Each structure stands twice: as structure tokens, then as C-alpha cells.
Amino acid sequence: MSQIPPLRPEYEIALQPLIDLPLERELSLAQRLWQQGWLRKSLILAVLALLWEVVARLQDNDLLLPSFLQVARALAEGLASGELLEKVAISLSVLVQGYLIGILLAFVLTSLAVSSQLGRDLLSTLTAMFNPLPAIALLPVALLWFGLGEGSLIFVLVHSVLWSLALNTYAGFLGVPETQRMVGRNYGLRGLRFVALILVPAALPSILSGLKIGWAFAWRTLVAAELVFGASSGKGGLGWYIFQNRNELYTDKVFAGLVVVILIGLLVESLVFALLERCTVKRWGMQR
């Protein structure tokens, strides 16, 4: 005969409310400041500038390595005279044209790739052929086809942007879940509307990575190409500014030009791409 287990009496313990304890932990001023990304990055830049100044003073050779203060003075003089601003405007105008054309062509190629087998074969073949080819190696061909001027620069810029962006975008399209694709098809989306309304928002993290890589490649290619075009035609942007001052042994101005290149890269990364990520993928919960 099985025994019935004894019933355990139930009871409830009333807990006292924690009225006296704060709901949020107060952060100190140092902790609040350290949470600011711009402040941490500024601190890193300040440490690098200090190391630069120390190394330059220890070496004591302005021709090989000018100090940070000398470069800052040359940078301020170049900005005050307007020469550096003019060079920056020339470089950025060409860069934006080539960058936008590369984005447009990459979008067309990837749209064809997700729409048909022929488009996929075309994209895979072209990227396998041209992606390993350095953009700077196409300078002689660009000179023959377009001559000296913006046309040649835009040609090499498009090459530097197109393939990396197309590969990242296509990889992002392939990673879109099938359920999202089915939703688009159930709504009757086809062709470009399916790509723009379903694939692009879902693959936006990969697309943004491709845009960043393409920007970096284009910026480096432009400066390198301007060294050649500036030496040939006697004009150009930041690359020509660096090349001309190197020939005249103005090392502080050479470093000032390099600092401008770095600062523009930091500004684009911190303002343009960071703002784009905050307004899209981070706001949508697709990226931490």
C-alpha cells in the first residue's frame, strides 16, 4: 500500500521594499567622460602626437623627421594661405565623382547577379579578373585612353571602389534569410523593387563595410595617382602638394599634407559612416 506524502504547508514571506537604495548607480565624472568615444580617440591622438614630438627631438634632424610642432605650424600656414584648402577641394571633387560612379556600377552588377545566373557568372568572372589588379597599375592605360586630367583619375578611382563594394554587397545579398525573400515575393516585389526594398535593407551591414573599404581604397588610390599626374601636368590635389614639397625638401609641408590626408579619413569615418550606421543598422538593431 503506497503512502501518501505529507502536505507541506505553504507560506509567503513579505519583503520590505528597498526604498532607501538608489535605483541607478551614480557614475563619477571620470567614468562619464571615459564613455565618450570622441574623448578616448582624442586622448589616443594626443599620446601619438607626444610620442612623435619626443622621437623627433631625440633624432634632431628636421629633414628626416620634423617635430609635431613644426608640422602643426606648416599645417596652419597652409590652411591660412588657402593652398591646402584648394588642394583638398580638388582632390575631394574628383574623389566624390569616382566614388559615386563606382557605387552605381557595383549596384548594377550585384542587382544583375541576384536576378539571373548570367549575372552571377558575370560578377564572379569580373571580380576574379579585376579585383586582384591594383588600381595604380591601370595608370598607364588611363593616360592612353583619357589623357591627363580628371578622366584618368576617375577611371582608376572607379576600379578601386567597384570590385570590393560589389563583393561585399553580393555577399550581403546571399546572407539574406529566405523568410525575408518570401515576404518580398508574397508582396509581389520583383526585379529592382525586390532588391531595393528587401535585399538592400537586410544586407546593409555588409554594404556599409563595402562602402568603407571602397572609400579607403579610393582615397589611397587618388593620392598615389595625383603624385603621377601632378608630376606630369604640374597641377593636382593633395598628392601633388606632397610630391612638390618633397622635391623642394620642405619635409614639414610633406608631413602637413599627410596629416590632412589622415584627418580627412578620420572625419569621414567618424562623421559620415558613423552617422549612417547610427541612423540605420544600429537603430534597427542589426549591429551592436
Side-chain angles (χ1 to χ4, degrees):
M1 181 177 179
S2 61
Q3 294 182 354
I4 300 175
L7 297 177
R8 187 176 63 180
E10 297 182 359
Y11 59 90
E12 181 179 355
I13 300 177
L15 299 177
Q16 296 296 327
L18 302 176
I19 301 177
D20 298 333
L21 297 179
L23 297 179
E24 296 181 354
R25 183 170 62 91
E26 290 291 337
L27 297 178
S28 64
L29 178 60
Q31 290 174 321
R32 291 198 300 269
L33 291 177
W34 187 251
Q35 289 181 348
Q36 304 297 322
W38 64 269
L39 185 60
R40 296 194 303 270
K41 294 178 181 179
S42 300
L43 181 61
I44 293 174
L45 293 177
V47 171
L48 292 176
L50 180 61
L51 290 176
W52 180 358
E53 184 71 21
V54 170
V55 172
R57 289 180 180 274
L58 290 177
Q59 187 176 12
D60 196 19
N61 190 337
D62 297 342
L63 186 61
L64 294 180
L65 182 62
S67 67
F68 175 78
L69 296 178
Q70 289 176 315
V71 174
R73 190 180 305 111
L75 177 61
E77 292 174 355
L79 294 175
S81 65
E83 183 181 10
L84 265 177
L85 294 177
E86 179 185 359
K87 301 301 183 184
V88 169
I90 293 173
S91 295
L92 289 183
S93 64
V94 177
L95 178 64
V96 169
Q97 294 179 61
Y99 192 62
L100 293 179
I101 294 174
I103 292 174
L104 179 61
L105 293 179
F107 182 76
V108 171
L109 277 178
T110 51
S111 299
L112 292 175
V114 298
S115 302
S116 64
Q117 182 63 49
L118 180 60
R120 287 190 287 274
D121 294 338
L122 177 64
L123 178 61
S124 62
T125 303
L126 291 179
T127 51
M129 290 171 56
F130 296 113
N131 191 42
L133 184 64
I136 203 68
L138 295 176
L139 279 176
V141 178
L143 284 170
L144 289 175
W145 289 353
F146 303 101
L148 295 174
E150 291 187 358
S152 300
L153 291 173
I154 292 174
F155 176 77
V156 295
L157 287 176
V158 169
H159 173 81
S160 64
V161 174
L162 173 58
W163 311 115
S164 59
L165 178 56
L167 283 175
N168 277 271
T169 303
Y170 185 60
F173 286 171
L174 293 180
V176 176
E178 188 61 30
T179 53
Q180 289 181 293
R181 298 173 182 268
M182 293 173 62
V183 169
R185 288 192 289 266
N186 289 338
Y187 276 99
L189 300 178
R190 296 292 185 274
L192 289 179
R193 294 186 66 218
F194 179 79
V195 173
L197 298 179
I198 299 297
L199 296 184
V200 170
L204 199 54
S206 297
I207 296 174
L208 288 177
S209 297
L211 289 173
K212 289 182 181 180
I213 296 172
W215 157 260
F217 284 173
W219 193 219
R220 290 184 297 184
T221 300
L222 176 63
V223 174
E226 283 180 342
L227 293 174
V228 178
F229 286 102
S232 301
S233 61
K235 62 180 181 179
L238 277 174
W240 167 239
Y241 178 85
I242 295 170
F243 182 83
Q244 186 181 35
N245 286 288
R246 196 272 300 177
N247 286 339
E248 298 175 2
L249 298 180
Y250 293 137
T251 314
D252 54 346
K253 293 185 178 181
V254 171
F255 275 85
L258 295 175
V259 168
V260 171
V261 173
I262 295 172
L263 290 178
I264 291 175
L266 288 175
L267 287 175
V268 172
E269 180 71 24
S270 302
L271 297 180
V272 179
F273 289 117
L275 178 62
L276 189 58
E277 288 178 348
R278 272 199 311 271
C279 295
T280 54
V281 292
K282 289 184 178 180
R283 184 179 180 183
W284 301 339
M286 302 172 67
Q287 192 178 79
R288 294 183 64 182

